[in-house]
């Protein structure tokens, strides 16, 4: 790496002191030469004229959906290490905010998350993993802000309609029970609640929700709306004095660092309540670094929340690896601390919610930007980024072209900051080794002789944090285990008396909800099973399939044998399947192809090339009825496939040309109760 310079200069110009920000030791370059080498700009950081907006924190989303699915069954110590990198203060990303999906049983991007109320008279506050995750976050940072937001809703709330606002009181009650249950069962105080992710809001519903929260003594729970675009929520707030009163934050998604006039006129807090959503390599890190500064500079947004927290879902699902870090191999324990973790640290480790931005923030003359924040008690943190257009494109929206080039930037500390004697320096350079550095502490900068002025030499794709805080730390653990493929022989008999989580490891529900189940009346082989528990279609957020399905395994699997005991609960109309080479999931699940082996309670079987059942390879009679256990076996070898019922061949030599690989899966014909047991797969790639 070329020698880097940070120069502190007296404004009276007689004397210059240089502090090397490089890794190769100290260097002194005459200021005249600096001026010739590259353009320079001067930037004043001053609180004399008061401060800017209050900072509300940096955070990330778990959910929307099932993005933390594989995290829960990581073995220790690796699971705790991942959580430390995310939440532990002054260690890694040190997040200020955790936003979670309020599970609603529907497909919400990469899977379904279970509702605490599958049915009207059903309440269970131990389903899924979001409460567990919130507790782990709180354990590490008791001050972390917690937000809940629904994507889908259980079907019973819609009373036959795919709409959550049919009965406003009922939906508000459902959301309030989640907040109350979080406190009662997990001692978690939810700080903010949302309306309906990226979908329509109902003004009367928002008012009903506020009244119900207050009635339950939850005045401290604030409302954020509408987790979509700036409009029409901003105009609605301006036109309705009661709505203005009940909404605390206007949250927009993927705003491209910009806001709108109406949003500013509301005088509400403005947040980018979902952003990033970009593959977590260096371009994703560049995107994250740029928007963390410019969401405030351009759009007055005082909080930015990344989707998603950790990429803990099968990578071939939609938006693979779009988390701040990657943890998608619980079977090996392997995880990767990606660059966005350290980009986060540049802001999160040196600020806290309740700090204030300075009014003096802005863009650098040759591209890039700077913000400064203070706690009002003498501490100052300055974050400078020079992310290039090419290396900071977020997934959305389109990024207009801009140019970043080599420059010198001189910062003058004024007002209460003029007497600061020393600034700690943290540095990131994105790109290819050996020039690449992530969150490296450099020599501190002494300002005693410089009259509160210093100069940074800036190249493109860099991040500097200069701060009075000395608590910054780049946390680390020994390297995790090496990456491994999903085991080629895998089995689960679901024999767990008191499961810690409601879902079996590694099964990723894509429509429907599959939970551990105890057959109290069955003392035999099938006392403990996995059961599909939805009996009606949820109020959907995405294009859920009309069948339920849970996928598992290695997407590259091609030749495999899947064996599973199945139990149809619905007479006449019920049906279940096992499948291999399933090639799609998430929001694309409805169009999944594969080889699906179905049996039905009406005494028939079917082999299809897709989940929807349009491509029929074979059908016929099978000695099958409801409320009886059967063993299905599906064998795929090259272009040949065969199926067995209770160990006897039911069909064979069916030729399948597409797809060539994919996950294994289990599921049901419709939203119906059914059980699965003794799942086993043997695969070769």
């Amino acid at each position: 790496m070329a020698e880097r310079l940070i120069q502190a200069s007296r404004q009276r110009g007689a004397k210059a002191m240089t502090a090397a920000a490089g890794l190769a030791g100290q260097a002194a370059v005459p200021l005249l030469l600096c001026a010739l080498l590259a353009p320079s700009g001067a930037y004043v950081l001053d609180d004399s004229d008061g401060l800017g907006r209050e900072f509300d924190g940096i955070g990330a989303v778990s959910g929307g959906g099932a993005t933390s699915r594989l995290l829960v069954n990581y073995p220790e110590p690796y699971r705790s290490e991942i959580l430390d990198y995310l939440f532990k203060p002054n260690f890694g990303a040190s997040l200020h905010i955790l936003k979670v999906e309020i599970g609603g049983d529907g497909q919400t991007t990469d899977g379904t998350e279970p509702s605490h109320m599958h049915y009207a008279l059903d309440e269970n506050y131990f389903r899924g993993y979001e409460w567990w995750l919130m507790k782990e976050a709180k354990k590490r940072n008791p001050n972390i802000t917690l937000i809940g937001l629904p994507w889908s809703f259980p079907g019973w709330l819609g009373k036959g309609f795919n709409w959550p606002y049919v009965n406003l009181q009922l939906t508000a009650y459902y959301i309030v029970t989640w907040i109350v249950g979080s406190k009662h069962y997990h001692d978690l105080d939810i700080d903010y609640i949302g309306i309906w992710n990226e979908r329509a809001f109902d003004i009367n519903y928002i008012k009903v929700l506020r009244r119900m929260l207050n009635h339950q003594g939850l005045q401290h729970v604030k409302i954020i709306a509408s987790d979509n675009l700036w409009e029409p929520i901003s105009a609605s707030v301006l036109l309705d004095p009661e709505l203005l009163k009940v909404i605390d934050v206007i949250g927009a998604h993927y705003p491209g660092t910009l806001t709108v006039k109406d949003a500013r006129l509301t005088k509400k807090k403005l947040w980018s309540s979902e952003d990033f959503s970009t593959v977590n390599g260096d371009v994703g890190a560049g995107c994250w670094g740029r928007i963390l500064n410019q969401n405030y500079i351009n759009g007055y947004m005082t909080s930015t929340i990344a989707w998603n927290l950790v990429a803990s879902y099968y990578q071939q699902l939609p938006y693979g690896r779009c988390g701040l870090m990657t943890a998608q191999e619980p079977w090996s324990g392997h995880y990767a601390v990606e660059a966005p973790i350290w980009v986060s640290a540049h802001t999160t480790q040196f600020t806290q919610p309740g700090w204030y931005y300075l009014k003096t923030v802005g863009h650098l003359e040759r591209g890039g930007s700077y913000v400064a924040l203070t706690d009002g008690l003498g501490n100052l943190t300055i974050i400078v980024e020079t992310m290039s257009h090419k290396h900071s494109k977020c997934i959305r929206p389109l990024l207009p072209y801009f140019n970043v080039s080599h420059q010198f930037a001189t910062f003058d500390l004024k007002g209460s900051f003029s007497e600061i004697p020393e600034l700690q320096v943290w540095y990131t350079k994105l790109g290819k080794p050996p020039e690449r550095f992530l969150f490296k502490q450099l020599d501190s900068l002494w300002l005693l002789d410089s009259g509160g002025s210093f100069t940074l030499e800036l190249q493109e794709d860099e991040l500097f944090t200069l701060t009075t805080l000395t608590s910054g730390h780049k946390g680390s653990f020994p390297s995790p285990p090496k990456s491994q493929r999903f085991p080629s022989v895998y089995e689960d008999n679901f024999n767990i008396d008191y499961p810690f989580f409601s879902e079996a490891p590694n099964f990723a529900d894509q429509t429907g909800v599959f939970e551990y189940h105890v057959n109290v009346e069955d003392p035999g082989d099938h006392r403990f099973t996995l059961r599909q528990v939805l009996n009606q279609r949820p109020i959907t957020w995405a294009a859920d399939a009309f069948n339920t399905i849970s996928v598992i395994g290695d997407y590259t699997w091609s030749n495999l044998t899947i064996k599973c005991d199945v139990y149809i609960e619905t007479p006449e109309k019920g049906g279940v399947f096992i499948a291999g080479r399933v090639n799609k999931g998430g929001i694309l699940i409805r169009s999944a192809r594969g080889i699906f082996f179905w049996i039905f309670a009406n005494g028939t079987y079917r082999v299809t090339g897709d989940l929807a059942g349009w491509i029929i390879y074979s059908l016929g009679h099978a000695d099958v009825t409801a409320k009886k256990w059967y063993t299905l076996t599906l064998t795929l070898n090259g272009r040949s496939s065969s199926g067995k019922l209770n160990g006897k061949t039911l069909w064979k030599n069916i030729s399948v040309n597409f797809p060539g690989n994919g996950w294994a899966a289990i599921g049901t014909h419709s939203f119906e109760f059914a059980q699965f047991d003794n799942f086993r797969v043997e695969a070769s790639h």
Side-chain angles (χ1 to χ4, degrees):
M1 171 182 162
E3 281 190 334
R4 318 274 317 129
L5 297 174
I6 296 179
Q7 302 200 323
S9 64
R10 270 201 165 161
Q11 287 190 311
R12 288 185 291 279
K15 188 173 165 189
M17 180 273 291
T18 65
L23 310 173
Q26 303 237 326
V29 176
L31 288 179
L32 178 61
L33 180 58
C34 291
L36 293 172
L37 285 172
S40 62
Y43 311 94
V44 174
L45 301 176
D46 192 357
D47 61 352
S48 303
D49 189 31
L51 299 172
R53 292 189 174 218
E54 183 181 3
F55 174 66
D56 296 308
I58 306 301
V61 184
S62 171
T67 55
S68 305
R69 177 68 194 92
L70 298 174
L71 175 63
V72 295
N73 46 293
Y74 259 78
E76 293 295 350
Y78 311 115
R79 190 175 71 176
S80 290
E81 291 172 5
I82 295 162
L83 293 164
D84 282 352
Y85 279 119
L86 294 168
F87 300 119
K88 187 177 178 181
N90 299 309
F91 190 85
S94 308
L95 295 172
H96 305 135
I97 298 169
L98 173 59
K99 177 176 180 176
V100 304
E101 176 178 352
I102 299 174
D105 294 335
Q107 168 62 248
T108 54
T109 302
D110 290 301
T112 67
E113 296 205 23
S115 170
H116 62 290
M117 296 178 76
H118 292 317
Y119 332 108
L121 298 176
D122 163 60
E123 286 187 56
N124 183 327
Y125 297 91
F126 295 91
R127 291 187 184 124
Y129 33 85
E130 302 298 3
W131 283 297
W132 166 82
L133 186 62
M134 287 190 282
K135 285 190 287 190
E136 292 293 328
K138 277 280 186 189
K139 199 188 291 182
R140 289 161 173 80
N141 177 7
N143 297 320
I144 198 165
T145 298
L146 299 177
I147 305 174
L149 174 66
W151 268 249
S152 67
F153 296 82
W156 59 272
L157 285 172
K159 300 195 177 295
F161 295 91
N162 196 36
W163 191 244
Y165 306 127
V166 173
N167 183 325
L168 304 183
Q169 278 76 15
L170 196 60
T171 299
Y173 168 78
Y174 166 79
I175 294 297
V176 170
T177 59
W178 184 86
I179 298 171
V180 171
S182 298
K183 179 64 175 176
H184 182 79
Y185 293 97
H186 303 287
D187 198 26
L188 291 166
D189 291 300
I190 304 301
D191 299 293
Y192 291 87
I193 199 75
I195 307 305
W196 188 14
N197 182 73
E198 294 175 358
R199 296 293 180 265
F201 62 89
D202 181 295
I203 290 172
N204 290 323
Y205 168 72
I206 298 172
K207 295 173 183 177
V208 167
L209 178 62
R210 179 74 269 167
R211 284 197 292 272
M212 198 172 288
L213 287 167
N214 293 349
H215 184 69
Q216 290 292 326
L218 298 169
Q219 289 86 351
H220 68 277
V221 179
K222 297 184 171 74
I223 290 178
I224 178 166
S226 67
D227 281 295
N228 201 346
L229 304 175
W230 292 117
E231 297 290 14
I233 188 65
S234 298
S236 301
V237 165
L238 290 173
L239 292 169
D240 187 328
E242 188 186 350
L243 189 64
L244 180 72
K245 197 173 167 189
V246 301
I247 288 177
D248 300 279
V249 174
I250 295 181
H253 287 193
Y254 307 95
T257 77
L258 302 174
T259 185
V260 298
K261 185 180 177 185
D262 278 356
R264 295 195 298 274
L265 286 174
T266 65
K267 297 199 163 53
K268 295 290 180 185
K269 289 179 177 291
L270 307 179
W271 289 5
S272 177
S273 53
E274 185 181 313
D275 220 324
F276 179 62
S277 194
T278 304
V279 174
N280 56 24
D282 274 13
V283 172
C287 152
W288 188 230
R290 178 174 56 79
I291 65 178
L292 285 183
N293 266 20
Q294 296 194 27
N295 274 350
Y296 182 73
I297 296 165
N298 302 339
Y300 308 96
M301 287 167 261
T302 53
S303 174
T304 298
I305 300 173
W307 187 90
N308 57 69
L309 174 73
V310 53
S312 279
Y313 46 98
Y314 291 115
Q315 189 170 329
Q316 295 82 4
L317 288 167
Y319 307 103
R321 273 190 55 202
C322 287
L324 296 179
M325 65 181 287
T326 306
Q328 57 192 20
E329 287 187 27
W331 48 88
S332 71
H334 177 75
Y335 63 86
V337 185
E338 312 283 8
I341 290 288
W342 304 117
V343 169
S344 303
H346 272 275
T347 298
T348 56
Q349 289 202 20
F350 308 107
T351 58
Q352 287 298 325
W355 283 42
Y356 279 82
Y357 284 99
L358 271 57
K359 287 181 178 176
T360 48
V361 300
H363 292 272
L364 301 170
E365 286 181 14
R366 293 279 167 156
S369 67
Y370 65 96
V371 294
L373 301 96
T374 180
D375 62 355
L377 302 171
N379 283 307
L380 176 69
T381 290
I382 306 157
I383 303 128
V384 181
E385 61 82 20
T386 57
M387 298 303 157
S388 64
H389 183 270
K390 182 179 178 182
H391 296 135
S392 72
K393 286 181 186 169
C394 304
I395 196 169
R396 67 180 77 88
L398 186 70
L399 180 62
Y401 183 75
F402 60 87
N403 188 54
V404 177
S405 58
H406 180 212
Q407 62 190 306
F408 287 86
T410 299
F411 292 89
D412 288 321
L413 305 187
K414 301 287 191 184
S416 70
F417 309 121
S418 60
E419 302 300 316
I420 288 175
E422 182 185 8
L423 291 172
Q424 309 295 313
V425 183
W426 291 84
Y427 174 68
T428 286
K429 168 74 172 178
L430 300 174
K432 292 187 171 65
E435 285 84 24
R436 187 174 189 261
F437 297 94
L438 294 175
F439 198 57
K440 182 170 185 64
Q441 186 166 19
L442 306 181
D443 293 340
S444 60
L445 188 58
W446 289 90
L447 304 176
L448 288 171
D449 292 334
S450 69
S453 176
F454 62 91
T455 297
L456 293 180
E457 182 187 4
L458 301 169
Q459 309 281 0
E460 63 178 32
D461 299 323
E462 292 183 332
L463 259 174
F464 280 93
T465 297
L466 303 103
T467 179
T468 54
L469 297 183
T470 57
S471 50
H473 175 64
K474 186 174 183 179
S476 65
F477 291 107
S479 294
K482 285 190 165 55
S483 175
Q484 291 179 22
R485 290 195 175 278
F486 194 97
S488 56
V489 177
Y490 184 85
E491 54 190 358
D492 194 338
N493 60 17
F494 313 115
N495 288 1
I496 299 184
D497 212 341
Y498 298 103
F500 195 72
F501 293 103
S502 58
E503 299 159 293
N506 302 319
F507 280 92
D509 303 350
Q510 300 302 310
T511 297
V513 173
F514 294 74
E515 294 179 350
Y516 282 121
H517 179 68
V518 180
N519 287 310
V520 182
E521 322 237 313
D522 185 343
D525 295 340
H526 301 294
R527 181 172 171 81
F528 299 103
T529 66
L530 192 68
R531 188 182 192 223
Q532 199 294 117
V533 297
L534 299 191
N535 62 355
Q536 71 180 114
R537 188 174 177 80
I539 296 170
T540 57
W541 183 82
D544 296 47
F546 292 96
N547 332 82
T548 75
I549 177 172
S550 188
V551 302
I552 189 169
D554 189 326
Y555 190 79
T556 66
W557 279 348
S558 180
N559 299 330
L560 68 162
T561 296
I562 305 157
K563 189 175 179 183
C564 190
D565 297 342
V566 298
Y567 183 88
I568 302 168
E569 295 190 36
T570 308
E572 302 301 329
K573 294 182 177 178
V576 298
F577 70 82
I578 62 173
R581 299 185 188 171
V582 177
N583 73 341
K584 286 181 185 172
I587 47 179
L588 306 173
I589 189 61
R590 195 184 283 194
S591 58
R593 296 283 300 273
I595 298 90
F596 295 79
F597 176 17
W598 311 74
I599 59 170
F600 297 92
N602 66 3
T604 62
Y605 80 91
R606 198 169 278 203
V607 185
T608 68
D610 62 337
L611 176 62
W614 295 108
I615 304 165
I616 299 173
Y617 292 136
S618 177
L619 51 80
H621 172 76
D623 190 13
V624 171
T625 184
K627 301 194 182 293
K628 194 174 172 187
W629 282 97
Y630 299 93
T631 302
L632 297 184
T633 308
L634 171 64
T635 300
L636 306 174
N637 191 1
R639 294 186 173 186
S640 177
S641 64
S642 61
K644 294 178 181 178
L645 176 66
N646 290 342
K648 293 179 183 172
T649 298
L650 187 60
W651 53 275
K652 63 181 180 179
N653 298 331
I654 289 179
S655 178
V656 288
N657 299 321
F658 180 86
N661 58 277
W663 296 292
I666 58 175
T668 66
H669 178 59
S670 63
F671 287 93
E672 61 184 277
F673 300 130
Q675 295 179 51
F676 303 83
D677 202 2
N678 300 317
F679 176 86
R680 177 181 170 88
V681 62
E682 289 186 44
S684 58
H685 297 281

